[in-house]
Amino acid sequence: MKIETVKHVLESMPPEFDSHQFIERFIRENEREYVEMLYAQKDSPAIFRTVHAQIAKFIAENADELHICKDTEDGNGRTESRNIKGYDSENQKWKKL
């Protein structure tokens, strides 16, 4: 992933969002890169989970440069929302600075 790509995706995100929302937008705007990331994990037993964890880790490790932070105003900064496979699962809440 490139920091410029993530910044571009963040421009179209609302002021508060979660990792699932970011991943959905990333896929929509960067389908080819996403497919390449999936293919790179073709031997993983959990391809989607592995790639989504990579995306979430990239966001967390670059939060300062991306001008975002974990949204912990109403708790621990976690939320449940639907992932791209249609399952509810816990993930990180974020907010723009």
Side-chain angles (χ1 to χ4, degrees):
M1 291 187 79
K2 296 177 185 166
I3 197 82
E4 295 81 17
T5 302
V6 174
K7 284 181 177 180
H8 181 74
V9 173
L10 286 171
E11 288 175 6
S12 62
M13 296 298 296
E16 296 180 359
F17 59 94
D18 66 32
S19 293
H20 290 157
Q21 292 168 318
F22 177 85
I23 290 167
E24 287 178 17
R25 183 75 49 94
F26 177 83
I27 292 167
R28 225 175 310 151
E29 295 181 12
N30 302 281
E31 188 173 321
R32 180 180 201 80
E33 183 176 353
Y34 179 69
V35 170
E36 289 171 355
M37 292 173 75
L38 291 172
Y39 186 75
Q41 298 300 322
K42 67 184 179 304
D43 296 326
S44 171
I47 297 169
F48 286 97
R49 193 173 347 162
T50 301
V51 170
H52 295 176
Q54 289 174 342
I55 294 170
K57 183 178 180 186
F58 185 91
I59 293 169
E61 289 176 346
N62 293 283
D64 289 341
E65 187 173 352
L66 296 169
H67 305 292
I68 59 173
C69 67
K70 293 179 179 181
D71 186 355
T72 58
E73 289 181 13
D74 60 352
N76 64 359
R78 307 291 289 173
T79 189
E80 277 213 10
S81 65
R82 192 155 294 186
N83 63 30
I84 67 160
K85 289 190 168 187
Y87 302 112
D88 286 341
S89 64
E90 188 177 87
N91 71 107
Q92 185 63 53
K93 292 189 322 185
W94 298 96
K95 65 180 177 179
K96 294 180 180 180
L97 299 176

